[in-house]
Amino acid sequence: GDIDVQGGTPPISIANGDLTPGVVDDTDFGLVTNNTFKINTYTIFNNDPNDNLTITDINFVIGSDGEFVMDNLPVFPTVIVPGGNITFDVVFFPTTNVVYNAIVNIDNTDDTPYQFAITGQGADIVVGDDIMITQYYSGFSGTDNWIEIKNISGVTIGAGTYILAMYDQNAIPNIASQVPTASEVIPAMGIDEVLLFRNSLAIIPSSGHIGGATQIITPVCNFDGNDVILISTTDDNTCYGNRQDIIGDVSVPVNAWGIDATYIKGGCATELPHADYVESDWIEIFPLIDVNNADPNTNLALGTQVVGATEFDGTNWSNLVSDRSRSVIFTQSFDHANQTIYACNLTVNNNAEIVFNSNSLTTNSIVVYGDLTIETNGSLTIGDTESLVTLDPNATLESITKIERSNTLYNLHDNTYWSSPVHGAQIQSIFVSVNPDRIFEYRPGATNPIYDIPGYENYIHWFNYPSGSMTTGFGYAAEGPAAPVDADDFYITPFGHTISFSGIPNNGEISLNVYYKGGPDQGLENDNFNLIGNPYPTAIDIESFLINNTVVNEIALWTHSDPISGGSGGEFTDADYVIYNQGGSSEPSGSVSNNIGSGQGFMTRTIADGNVNFFNNFKMIDANNQFFKSENSKKGSINKDIEKDRLWLKLSDGQRSRSNIMIGFLDKATDGIDNYYDSYGFNSEKAVNLYSKISESDSKFLIQGLGTFSEDKKVDLGIENKNTGTLKISIVGIEGALKDADIFLVDNLLGITHNLKGSDYLFEQTTTGETPNRFTLQFAGAALEIDNFEKDNEFSIVNTIDGFNINASKVVTKVKVYDMLGRIIVNDNPNKQSFSLKVDNIKAGTVLVIESTIDNGAILSKKAIRY
């Protein structure tokens, strides 16, 4: 049409139907002090060179807020000649601190109706844009208090122009008419200068973690978290009314808003002063230690503050080093991950190819607190041990590529548990080099008829899954990719299987319905296990997962650190499952971390119906180093635990078979069965199996949590073994109070009490099967009760010059003599009631155990001292 409405200085056309008010065309009135007014003038032009334009009315659309009023309107109808114009005013008169909106309507003969939106916000006071508070810090000591301010005026500010003031909690109810509790004249400030005010006793943050701003000691910093700090032009009872910026809640009753806290202004919130304290105008930095340890070249550090985004070209930063308060722009392509990068919002520029990858040499992260934008032909690839950590569950994210690498594979049939860190991953696209017949999903509650035969109980829930979507949060198993192998399918050159996931990174809450059969697993059942997986492109914290998912009592991480035994029919050892519950891991601290790597699938055992949930607060920064990737799984482990009272034992046969258990004494556990502290792991028939017992249960526990440690507690231990031979029980980890306690292993079969801290316990296992109460673990030294038998109705042992004479009431078919380390000294088959044992090579005073098998099958063990 020929009607044109303009506003602003210089005038800018306002399109018909424009519902997005802006400052430049005066459709956004901005902040206006309550009970005052602001007038904006608009001009209507007739651009038709030949015909008149008639305006029949100017008004507001029904529903517009009444704080907007028309003024200086012409008499209607009014005619605008060709090339002519008229003006009218809109008056904004706010009364409260809210946003007001209206729609202007212009009825005319050219383009009826002509409409556009206007807006404005009321405020107690409208501040300037010369100076602002940029950071607040209240440390745990009560005296490490700091306030940072910055000159944003673009010119030098003269000394005494502004005042830094503090109102304590007692002054807040009458703050509008009160003299501040403490005040400090702000000295002259150069362009963009930052000043730092502190308590006289403040020492944290220390040198090296604080910017170079001038520090000023002031009583204003004697605040304690429920006070108000502001910048004003006066320091008398008009101080609050003349405020230019403020931090602190002035509501009554007074709220404790800033105790042990730090707040900063930045691009993810605002970089302007405000007349009123609104929490969303500030970025809270948690934990405080992040400021205590800050790089002084970042805004996070007190004494440093720059405005605007910072750009990274792969080598240099344009506007100081990034931190979580500011936006980051990747401007140029680069291929390295030599630092962790924090950003409130992250943008990858057009054509910039970012490969954040160190080839497993670092665990650095890109941490984004807001949105991830990737412009045309830009790309972002995250390496195997690197992470993308997105922390806003409502953020807008764009597609990335995440590289994942398995543990070292030795055999074509090595299985790895995977989970997708991005939306929409397709099995056939991800595992392109894997035989489709050797890709699997786990369906608890369903039976695969292929494996529904004796001896395959642990395989009945596995089903081939050659193609289809990888459901977010679930796990999948894939064998190794095609590569040269020998006759037993061992790879000629072992390698890690590298795959790439491309898509929108998973973020925010993810909920999965998991299977529970209605009762606990028994015997060799593993029916309540579900194969799920870490859904994020960063590590997650195991303990956070367990605490927040009460339907799960343990997880099982498949490490396959022992090679498969060989050939297509080869087997893995079940000891390669690491079990983890809220008490800790079946493996010692330091050998496993409390993190599950990105892309890793894992088993969970359910104890109730319900869902498993993942949340952003499970995510870990700089900790993506545990996908059980051989040597990398033990480098740079992150374990945030304060040491607990825990002990790890290992039973081994000296070959590839082993079994680890953990005994923990925990404040939240009891000596009975606790769902979240007692776990029996992945049930199977192992070559060797060490387990602990709880009196009211027949289960075999790999992790047992008991109540607070005391020396009188005892733990029953059992063993299972498929083969005979020498076995060994060792302490492989110890923490907390147990470091200073005695630890004894009582062999209830041989009657031996052995100090495990002194040495490992070796013993000969002459039979196969299960011995459920073979050992007792105790922490007080029990009397050895050494018997020097002179005579016994059934069995007597008498010292001789070179050994012992044995007399029994029945035929002794076998006899073994052990020393206190469980080593066999004598192994004989006398088949007599009376016989001699020669032990002249044993020195006097040695305690020995004589184990005799009677012809009725009974086994009798007696202790004797060699004289």
Side-chain angles (χ1 to χ4, degrees), residues 635-684:
K635 288 183 179 178
S637 293
I638 305 296
N639 196 320
K640 65 182 181 182
D641 287 343
I642 297 173
E643 278 198 346
K644 301 172 183 176
D645 301 333
R646 298 187 292 194
L647 170 71
W648 288 266
L649 300 178
K650 179 173 74 173
L651 172 67
S652 58
D653 63 2
Q655 300 177 39
R656 70 190 298 266
S657 299
R658 68 187 190 281
S659 176
N660 277 17
I661 66 170
M662 188 269 276
I663 307 296
F665 298 89
L666 309 165
D667 292 342
K668 295 181 180 180
T670 70
D671 290 353
I673 295 177
D674 303 299
N675 271 338
Y676 305 114
Y677 299 99
D678 300 314
S679 295
Y680 43 92
F682 212 92
N683 294 329
S684 62

Side-chain angles (χ1 to χ4, degrees), residues 497-517:
H497 185 191
T498 300
I499 58 179
S500 296
F501 295 89
S502 294
I504 304 296
N506 294 321
N507 186 44
E509 180 178 355
I510 295 168
S511 186
L512 313 171
N513 184 254
V514 289
Y515 174 82
Y516 177 62
K517 71 175 184 179

Side-chain angles (χ1 to χ4, degrees), residues 44 54-59 73-78 86 88 106-107:
I44 304 174
T54 301
I55 306 299
T56 57
D57 197 9
I58 302 175
N59 52 31
L73 294 174
V75 176
F76 301 114
T78 187
I86 64 170
F88 69 96
I106 303 172
D107 292 325

Side-chain angles (χ1 to χ4, degrees), residues 332-345:
Q332 303 292 328
S333 300
F334 64 88
D335 184 356
H336 62 74
N338 56 18
Q339 59 185 294
T340 289
I341 295 173
Y342 295 87
C344 66
N345 295 304

Side-chain angles (χ1 to χ4, degrees), residues 589-769:
S589 293
S591 62
V592 296
S593 304
N594 64 319
N595 57 310
I596 300 173
S598 64
Q600 181 166 7
F602 59 95
M603 292 284 189
T604 59
R605 190 192 295 276
T606 55
I607 55 174
D609 287 316
N611 289 352
V612 164
N613 299 297
F614 296 89
F615 301 98
N616 273 4
N617 61 7
F618 294 179
K619 296 176 180 178
M620 303 176 75
I621 297 171
D622 294 352
N624 194 26
N625 62 335
Q626 182 165 272
F627 197 114
F628 290 98
K629 308 179 176 84
S630 64
E631 69 275 3
N632 288 322
S633 67
K634 297 182 181 180
K635 288 183 179 178
S637 293
I638 305 296
N639 196 320
K640 65 182 181 182
D641 287 343
I642 297 173
E643 278 198 346
K644 301 172 183 176
D645 301 333
R646 298 187 292 194
L647 170 71
W648 288 266
L649 300 178
K650 179 173 74 173
L651 172 67
S652 58
D653 63 2
Q655 300 177 39
R656 70 190 298 266
S657 299
R658 68 187 190 281
S659 176
N660 277 17
I661 66 170
M662 188 269 276
I663 307 296
F665 298 89
L666 309 165
D667 292 342
K668 295 181 180 180
T670 70
D671 290 353
I673 295 177
D674 303 299
N675 271 338
Y676 305 114
Y677 299 99
D678 300 314
S679 295
Y680 43 92
F682 212 92
N683 294 329
S684 62
E685 294 180 336
K686 301 177 182 179
V688 294
N689 187 27
L690 175 66
Y691 57 88
S692 65
K693 300 284 291 180
I694 299 176
S695 59
E696 65 263 41
S697 171
D698 292 329
S699 296
K700 304 165 186 178
F701 293 94
L702 296 186
I703 301 175
Q704 185 179 156
L706 299 96
T708 305
F709 174 71
S710 64
E711 288 188 348
D712 60 349
K713 291 194 174 181
K714 298 182 180 181
V715 181
D716 292 327
L717 307 177
I719 63 169
E720 295 172 293
N721 59 292
K722 289 184 176 180
N723 304 307
T724 60
T726 302
L727 300 180
K728 179 173 68 174
I729 296 178
S730 314
I731 295 175
V732 289
I734 191 167
E735 286 183 351
L738 295 172
K739 288 181 177 179
D740 300 319
D742 292 324
I743 299 175
F744 296 99
L745 184 70
V746 179
D747 188 330
N748 297 312
L749 177 62
L750 300 183
I752 297 173
T753 300
H754 179 78
N755 182 357
L756 274 179
K757 279 193 171 178
S759 61
D760 301 336
Y761 181 67
L762 285 82
F763 60 101
E764 291 294 322
Q765 188 65 20
T766 58
T767 60
T768 61

Side-chain angles (χ1 to χ4, degrees), residues 109-158:
T109 56
D110 176 62
D111 194 358
T112 299
Y114 196 105
Q115 295 180 345
F116 59 90
I118 59 175
T119 190
Q121 181 175 349
D124 288 335
I125 184 173
V126 178
V127 300
D129 56 1
D130 289 348
I131 192 170
M132 69 175 176
I133 299 170
T134 50
Q135 195 162 355
Y136 164 98
Y137 180 99
S138 174
F140 288 100
S141 69
T143 57
D144 287 313
N145 296 336
W146 303 75
I147 295 293
E148 178 190 88
I149 68 171
K150 181 179 178 69
N151 174 6
I152 58 172
S153 68
V155 298
T156 299
I157 295 176

